[in-house]
Amino acid sequence: MSKFRGVRVVNDIGTAQERSYVFTGKQVLRRVDLDSEANVRIASFATPPLHPLSAGAHTTTVFMRLSAQHCDGLGTDPDANCLPGGEFQYTGDTPVTFFPRGTD
């Protein structure tokens, strides 16, 4: 995805402990060859480690950054087959809970 510019990850969005991390496409883009003979590839992203969060409930929200609209070529409905250019929210506020070490 040459239009992929990176991601912004926000922990605890909208709270006093909100923290945001920005990563370029080169830092996070991973390409996997599913079938090299058939030239079948997928792309995903994985961030480097983030600062640790305290024990308790948190949220993580991911915003994707594209230089222009990107369509998958599988259909013509922009809502179903395209991602917008610019920055847009890619995930919801995903809940995650951290527990202190040594607890069951």
Side-chain angles (χ1 to χ4, degrees):
M1 269 178 64
S2 62
K3 297 174 189 173
F4 181 72
R5 294 293 178 246
V7 296
R8 180 169 61 100
V9 178
V10 183
N11 289 332
D12 298 321
I13 197 166
T15 69
Q17 62 264 20
E18 178 178 315
R19 191 151 189 189
S20 189
Y21 305 88
V22 176
F23 301 100
T24 66
K26 288 182 180 183
Q27 290 175 295
V28 299
L29 188 63
R30 307 292 184 261
R31 293 186 178 132
V32 178
D33 285 328
L34 293 180
D35 184 341
S36 58
E37 290 181 23
N39 199 25
V40 177
R41 293 188 211 158
I42 61 169
S44 65
F45 60 86
T47 68
L50 306 177
H51 292 282
L53 295 170
S54 62
H58 298 275
T59 62
T60 297
T61 309
V62 177
F63 295 84
M64 188 178 286
R65 294 174 170 193
L66 300 179
S67 63
Q69 182 183 53
H70 175 77
C71 299
D72 59 20
L74 301 175
T76 58
D77 179 3
D79 292 334
N81 301 103
C82 299
L83 298 173
E87 181 178 277
F88 59 94
Q89 190 170 336
Y90 185 66
T91 69
D93 299 337
T94 306
V96 60
T97 302
F98 291 93
F99 298 93
R101 287 187 178 171
T103 62
D104 295 324

